[in-house]
Amino acid sequence: MHEFIGLQKKWSISKSSNGSDFEMQRLVEHLLYLRGIITQQQSEEYLNTPESLYLPPSILTDLEVAITRVKKARDQKEKVCIYGDFDADGITGTALLIKAFLRFGISAIPYIPDRSSEGHGLNFGSLKKIASNGVKLIITVDCGTNDLEEISFAKSMGIDTIVTDHHASGMSESDAIAILNPKSELNSNKFDQLTGVGMALKFADALLSGEFEDWDDGLFELAAIGTITDMAPLVGDNRYIVNKGIQELRSTKNIGLLQLMASAKIDHASVSAENIGFSIGPRINSAGRLGDAIVAFELLTTHSTSKAIELSGQLEKTNLERRVFTEEHIIHCTMLAEKLEDIGNLLIVGDHDLNVGIIGLTAGKLSEKFGVPTAVYSIKDQVVSASCRTNTLFNWADALDTCADLLIRYGGHAQAAGFTCDISNLPELQVRLDAIAAEKFDPRFLISQGIIDAEATPTIVMRDAFPIMKLMEPFGIGNPAPIFLGRNMLVDEVVYMGKDSQHLQLKLRDHASIWTAIAFNQAWVEGTREADFVFSISISNWKGKPRLRLNIHDYFPVPESNLDRGG
């Protein structure tokens, strides 16, 4: 691969990207090839997103047991609780199952624990509250797999538990009457890329599709939001779920979602995976980070316009607070990291004053900045609560599993996980995790990198590939939007945007057309008149009208072009 060194990072230019002499078919084939699409059949499946990508839930172990138990609850009019996690995946999954169960004839009770006081998953306090309400059946969403003691405790109070989850499973035997989790040793791994809301959708499908022709009305849109926000790979089953969900969103009747999109200034008729990932998902997530996740749940399930306006206003305020807190945490933790003599193979920083709802976002930013797996923690009552992130091949879930003897609780995925431990165990934990990281990779290769699909100007991309690129959507994890390198583009205008002038709006020329471009959080080399730009193409909406825009990911001034030549 060739390389391009920008001001932001080092980029690898994919093989066969040899300039701007692509013909239409060749550029399209190149983009598909880079995504593993080689045969005609693969191409048709990828570009058309057929229903065959959606796997039937019938292959899940324990499914019939779960359905039988829910039918018993309906027949005997038992109280049922849907117990979800407090992130967007858990919140959308809880809303989805509440809607599905109501359609099935059960008015279930939602319960979402408080992040700060209760933490992830089932806990003894919440189970006591649920039992006092007469609940006889709990359905978990995006949690429960490893809550063995809590499930046994629920059983002792006469409560059955059905687990729907997607987190890595231990080998211990559970008292849950059914476990719907592709990562469980009992289940097929065909669904191993699904999120918590994805598993909730499969359960709803199995429960409803035999009795209701329109079983999925309003459910895929919730599954799409949770899937994108949980950063699941948009391939196979997930690709179908998100694609169908976005189509639903564009004509949604969900009052809460309509108001949420209005608050985020999104035209719902042209909502995209990008809108969901950068605007809708963070607003839903903010409720669980700084406030009460039930606010977001209520917004997704309300039938009242006035209530939707009130709740979306609360989320908007909370999301703004989240942005401020995140920036403060990043600055503080960056200072802590820079004070260390040697960061080593893995970074662990924290303080007493950090908000547990923000430390995950902070860890992600620090991991990106320093190029190593990162854990950021908060301390309360001599207990460390940490969130872990990585952009590398390091697997946090596996690493924490090997350190289980030092931890109180832990869980998560390869790139995003969390743990709690006694503060006295933190030094040894750090030594062990650093050693694990050292075995996995050489930190010298952890310079922030990106991949460029092809060298081509915006005009050539629009002429030769854009119609096919629209069929390649939705873009996201596992199916990234094509990124191009445009050489020797002329800069006609630079406008600074944002409270601190941290963003740029540019007018660029590629010798054929003039383009509007946006660069977020990038500094400008003053006087630059010509540069090489790393860009992707998106459609933004301005006053209800679609318009093309270049998203600038990086750039580098052409040598001596930063001398203003006048004229």
Side-chain angles (χ1 to χ4, degrees), residues 44 62 132 280 324 345 406 415 466 475 497 531-532 548:
E44 290 177 1
D62 281 356
S132 68
I280 297 173
V324 173
N345 305 294
L406 298 175
Q415 292 187 309
F466 192 70
F475 295 127
M497 304 188 307
D532 298 334
L548 292 168

Side-chain angles (χ1 to χ4, degrees), residues 278-480:
F278 287 99
S279 296
I280 297 173
R283 282 168 168 79
I284 294 173
N285 259 331
S286 68
R289 293 189 188 282
L290 293 180
D292 188 348
I294 207 70
V295 172
F297 164 82
E298 289 177 351
L299 178 62
L300 298 179
T301 55
T302 186
H303 297 286
S304 164
T305 301
S306 60
K307 189 69 173 174
I309 293 172
E310 176 193 340
L311 294 170
S312 63
Q314 288 184 43
L315 284 191
E316 197 67 24
K317 180 181 177 183
T318 303
N319 191 49
L320 290 173
E321 292 174 353
R322 187 268 309 169
R323 290 179 184 174
V324 173
F325 278 130
T326 301
E327 188 61 33
E328 291 173 351
H329 279 50
I330 291 170
I331 292 171
H332 181 63
C333 290
T334 298
M335 291 174 59
L336 293 176
E338 290 174 343
K339 287 179 181 178
L340 298 173
E341 290 184 9
D342 179 22
I343 289 177
N345 305 294
L346 179 142
L347 174 63
I348 299 181
V349 292
D351 210 333
H352 287 82
D353 301 323
L354 301 186
N355 187 301
V356 293
I358 302 298
I359 56 177
L361 298 172
T362 308
K365 290 296 184 181
L366 264 63
S367 178
E368 185 177 321
K369 179 179 178 65
F370 293 102
V372 295
T374 300
V376 175
Y377 63 83
S378 182
I379 305 169
K380 183 178 180 180
D381 299 329
Q382 300 301 301
V383 172
V384 169
S385 297
S387 284
C388 317
R389 298 292 186 272
T390 180
N391 291 321
T392 69
L393 297 178
F394 183 80
N395 189 313
W396 268 111
D398 289 348
L400 293 176
D401 201 38
T402 64
C403 302
D405 58 305
L406 298 175
L407 307 175
I408 299 172
R409 295 187 72 167
Y410 68 97
H413 310 289
Q415 292 187 309
F419 68 83
T420 60
C421 71
D422 289 327
I423 194 168
S424 59
N425 287 337
L426 187 59
E428 183 179 349
L429 178 64
Q430 184 156 4
V431 170
R432 281 206 220 170
L433 289 173
D434 190 80
I436 294 169
E439 291 176 4
K440 299 298 181 183
F441 51 76
D442 187 333
R444 290 175 298 174
F445 297 104
L446 293 180
I447 299 170
S448 185
Q449 297 190 35
I451 296 176
I452 293 169
D453 290 77
E455 286 191 39
T457 65
T459 296
I460 289 172
V461 173
M462 286 302 302
R463 182 193 71 198
D464 294 355
F466 192 70
I468 299 297
M469 283 168 54
K470 292 299 296 175
L471 296 177
M472 292 168 65
E473 295 179 354
F475 295 127
I477 304 298
N479 186 43

Side-chain angles (χ1 to χ4, degrees), residues 66 69-70 73 80-84 94 97 101 108-109 111 122 135 137-143 159-164 177 180 200 203:
R69 182 62 185 87
V70 173
V80 176
C81 175
I82 309 297
Y83 192 111
T94 302
L97 279 190
F101 272 56
I109 302 165
Y111 191 95
L122 300 167
V135 168
L137 175 63
I138 291 174
I139 320 290
T140 72
V141 178
D142 194 31
C143 63
I159 302 174
D160 289 333
T161 304
I162 296 172
V163 171
T164 75
I177 63 168
L180 307 181
F203 190 29

